[in-house]
Amino acid sequence: MTWKAALFITVMCCALAALLGTLVHASVTRQTVDQAREKALSRLEDVTQSYEAGEPLASYGGIDPPGLPAGLRDLAVSGKRGTVVSEFQDRPTMWAAGPADGRAIAVHVDYTLSADTIGNLDRAILGSSVLAIGATLLMGTFAVTRVTRRLHLTAQVARRIGAGDLDARVNDPRTKDPSRPEDEVATVSGALDTMASTLQEKLLNEQRFTADVAHELRTPLTGLSAAAELLPPGRPSELVQDRVRTMRALTEDLLEISRLDAGRETVDLDIHELAPLAERVVRAARAAGSATESRIVRPASVETDKRRLERVLGNLIANAHMHGARPVVVTVDGPSVSVRDHGSGYPPYLLEHGPQRFRTESGSGGKGHGLGLTIAVGQAAVIGARLEFSNAPDGGAVARLTLPEYIHLGGDEKVDLEEVEVEVDGDGGGDGAGSRQSAVDGTPPESADKRT
C-alpha cells in the first residue's frame, strides 16, 4: 500500500507540474513574443516612413535584406505585413516585413534576450517541479507510512488473536483519548479490541462452565458408583455400573479439557526411547481387550513428557478401535509412530477444522463424544508436539504426531534437534472420516543440550 500510494502521489505531482509548467510557459512565451513583435512592427513603421520619404534606411532595415525568411518575403510581396522569429547570423531574430513597390521592406530585432528568458523560465519550472515532487512524495510517503504502520499492527494483533492469544490488543491511543479525533484505522482497531474482549469473555465463561459442571458431577457420581457396586449381581446391575463408568470417564475428560483450555498445564520433559513407550501403550490396549498390532522398524530417542505422550497415543488407539476397523497397527519407525486403522477414515469437518468436542460422524453407531481426539490435540500441544490428521490413500484414518528428537553424537553428549515427525494413524471415525489433512501445531519447548 505504501508503494502504491507513493506511485500515485508521484504520478499526480508529475501531471500537475506538467500542466502548470505548460500553462506558465505558454503565457510567458506569448507575452515575450508579443513584446518583440510590437517592437519589430514599430521599427518597420519607422523604416517604411523613411523609405517613402526617400531618406536613408536604418541599419536594422532594408529592401529585400539578406536572411529574410522566404515565407515572410512572399507575404510582404503579396501586399501584407507580418512577423516571424528565425535564426539570423546564428542568433534568434524577430523579423517584420511589409510591401514596398513590389518588393519587401523588412526590419529585424535581436530576440536573444527574450529566448534566453524563456529558456531560463523553462529550466526554473523544471527544477521547481522536481523539488516540489520530491518534497510532496516524502511528506506523502511519511503520512501514508503512519497509516500503514497502524494497519500492520492491527493485522498482527488479529493474527495473534486467531492463533489463540486472546490477550492481544491494538490499544490505539485515539480510541482511548476522547479529545483526539478517531479516523477509520482507529475505528477498526477499536472494533477489533472489542471483538477480542467479547470473545475472550465468552471463552472464559465456557471454560468455567465446563470446569464447574465437571466438578459438580464428580461428587454425585462417586456416590452413584459406590451404590452401583452394592446392587445384586445381574444384567441390570451391569448396565448401571457400565453407565456410571461412562459418566465418570466423561467427567474426567471434561475436567482435563478445562485444564487444557486454561493453559495452566506443566510438563515433565525428559529423554525417552520412543519404541518402549509405544509398546507399553499397545500392551495396555491389548489388556483392555483391543487387539492392536505393533511393529518396530527403527528406534529413536525423543524429548517428551512420558505420561502425556502415553495419554495421546492411548486416545488415538482407542479412537481407532471405536470408530475405525481392524487391523489397527502401531508402527515405530525412528522418531515416527504410526497407528493405522482400516475404517472409513476421518470426516471432512475434522480434516479441515480439527477435532470438535461432542461431535462425531462415523460408523460407530454414535458412540463417543468427540473428546478423545480433542484431548490428544491439547496434550500434544502441551508437550510441544504437532498432531496431524489425514486419511490413507487405500482407506483408513491416519494421525501424525511430531516430537522433538534427540540424536546421540557419541559418548555421553546428546543434542536436541528440531522436532521430527511422529506419525500416528488414528482411528477412522468418532472423531473422523474424510479425505483432507488437518494439522494442529504445538510449539516445541526450547531446550539446551543435555549431558547424562
Side-chain angles (χ1 to χ4, degrees):
M1 180 176 177
T2 301
W3 292 112
K4 290 181 180 179
L7 179 61
F8 175 77
I9 293 172
T10 303
V11 172
M12 293 303 297
C13 287
C14 290
L16 182 60
L19 177 61
L20 293 177
T22 301
L23 292 176
V24 172
H25 172 83
S27 176
V28 173
T29 300
R30 183 169 54 252
Q31 182 179 1
T32 303
V33 170
D34 289 344
Q35 291 175 353
R37 180 181 292 112
E38 291 177 0
K39 183 177 180 181
L41 291 175
S42 176
R43 287 187 174 184
L44 178 63
E45 186 71 24
D46 294 340
V47 170
T48 301
Q49 292 177 358
S50 298
Y51 175 76
E52 291 175 350
E55 298 176 358
L57 302 182
S59 60
Y60 50 77
I63 302 297
D64 292 332
L68 179 65
L72 184 59
R73 183 191 303 273
D74 294 340
L75 181 67
V77 171
S78 66
K80 298 179 181 179
R81 302 174 70 178
T83 59
V84 69
V85 176
S86 66
E87 291 288 329
F88 179 62
Q89 297 178 350
D90 297 329
R91 298 171 67 89
T93 302
M94 171 67 75
W95 289 92
D101 299 330
R103 293 184 297 175
I105 184 171
V107 298
H108 59 84
V109 176
D110 189 5
Y111 194 71
T112 303
L113 182 60
S114 299
D116 291 343
T117 300
I118 296 175
N120 292 334
L121 175 65
D122 291 342
R123 286 188 290 271
I125 292 175
L126 180 60
S128 60
S129 298
V130 171
L131 290 177
I133 291 172
T136 305
L137 181 59
L138 288 176
M139 291 186 293
T141 303
F142 174 74
V144 172
T145 301
R146 292 187 62 187
V147 175
T148 56
R149 186 164 53 243
R150 293 167 59 200
L151 289 175
H152 284 313
L153 175 61
T154 303
Q156 290 175 0
V157 172
R159 284 191 289 267
R160 288 171 57 191
I161 294 173
D165 183 7
L166 298 182
D167 292 323
R169 298 291 186 274
V170 179
N171 291 325
D172 194 308
R174 291 170 178 77
T175 62
K176 305 296 182 182
D177 188 358
S179 63
R180 302 182 64 178
E182 283 194 16
D183 56 10
E184 289 77 5
V185 179
T187 301
V188 173
S189 301
L192 179 63
D193 288 348
T194 301
M195 180 201 69
S197 299
T198 303
L199 179 61
Q200 185 179 36
E201 183 178 357
K202 289 183 177 180
L203 290 178
L204 290 176
N205 289 336
E206 290 181 2
Q207 293 172 8
R208 283 194 294 268
F209 175 77
T210 302
D212 292 344
V213 168
H215 280 292
E216 291 298 327
L217 287 176
R218 293 185 78 179
T219 300
L221 283 176
T222 301
L224 186 59
S225 177
E229 296 294 335
L230 300 178
L231 294 176
R235 182 59 180 167
S237 176
E238 293 177 359
L239 291 176
V240 171
Q241 292 177 7
D242 178 68
R243 292 299 89 193
V244 169
R245 283 192 295 270
T246 301
M247 285 293 296
R248 292 190 66 177
L250 175 59
T251 301
E252 295 300 326
D253 286 346
L254 288 175
L255 284 173
E256 186 171 358
I257 287 177
S258 67
R259 290 193 296 269
L260 292 171
D261 288 341
R264 292 190 292 267
E265 295 280 23
T266 58
V267 292
D268 180 18
L269 297 177
D270 203 349
I271 310 304
H272 299 280
E273 291 295 325
L274 188 55
L277 290 181
E279 286 279 11
R280 179 174 173 175
V281 177
V282 169
R283 287 195 299 269
R286 291 171 181 167
S290 300
T292 305
E293 301 177 20
S294 64
R295 300 171 185 169
I296 308 299
V297 178
R298 181 171 61 89
S301 298
V302 295
E303 181 187 29
T304 188
D305 185 322
K306 181 175 71 171
R307 180 182 65 84
R308 297 183 187 277
L309 176 60
E310 290 179 349
R311 173 71 160 149
V312 173
L313 296 181
N315 279 15
L316 294 173
I317 294 174
N319 194 61
H321 283 287
M322 178 178 293
H323 303 287
R326 296 182 181 180
V328 175
V329 182
V330 177
T331 304
V332 177
D333 186 3
S336 163
V337 180
S338 66
V339 179
R340 171 70 186 279
D341 73 50
H342 292 75
S344 57
Y346 291 120
Y349 83 86
L350 188 145
L351 297 173
E352 184 173 359
H353 303 292
Q356 300 179 19
R357 60 194 70 175
F358 298 108
R359 179 176 180 180
T360 58
E361 296 178 10
S362 69
S364 61
K367 296 187 294 182
H369 304 282
L371 300 181
L373 292 186
T374 302
I375 292 174
V377 168
Q379 294 290 7
V382 170
I383 62 177
R386 184 180 66 216
L387 185 56
E388 300 172 311
F389 300 99
S390 62
N391 290 324
D394 55 345
V398 179
R400 181 181 297 271
L401 184 66
T402 303
L403 293 165
E405 182 190 8
Y406 261 74
I407 301 295
H408 298 261
L409 297 182
D412 293 332
E413 186 175 3
K414 298 179 180 180
V415 177
D416 185 12
L417 299 181
E418 293 185 3
E419 64 176 19
V420 176
E421 293 185 346
V422 176
E423 182 180 348
V424 178
D425 292 4
D427 41 296
D431 295 286
S435 60
R436 294 168 38 202
Q437 185 173 11
S438 169
V440 181
D441 292 337
T443 302
E446 295 182 359
S447 172
D449 294 348
K450 296 186 177 180
R451 297 179 181 270
T452 56

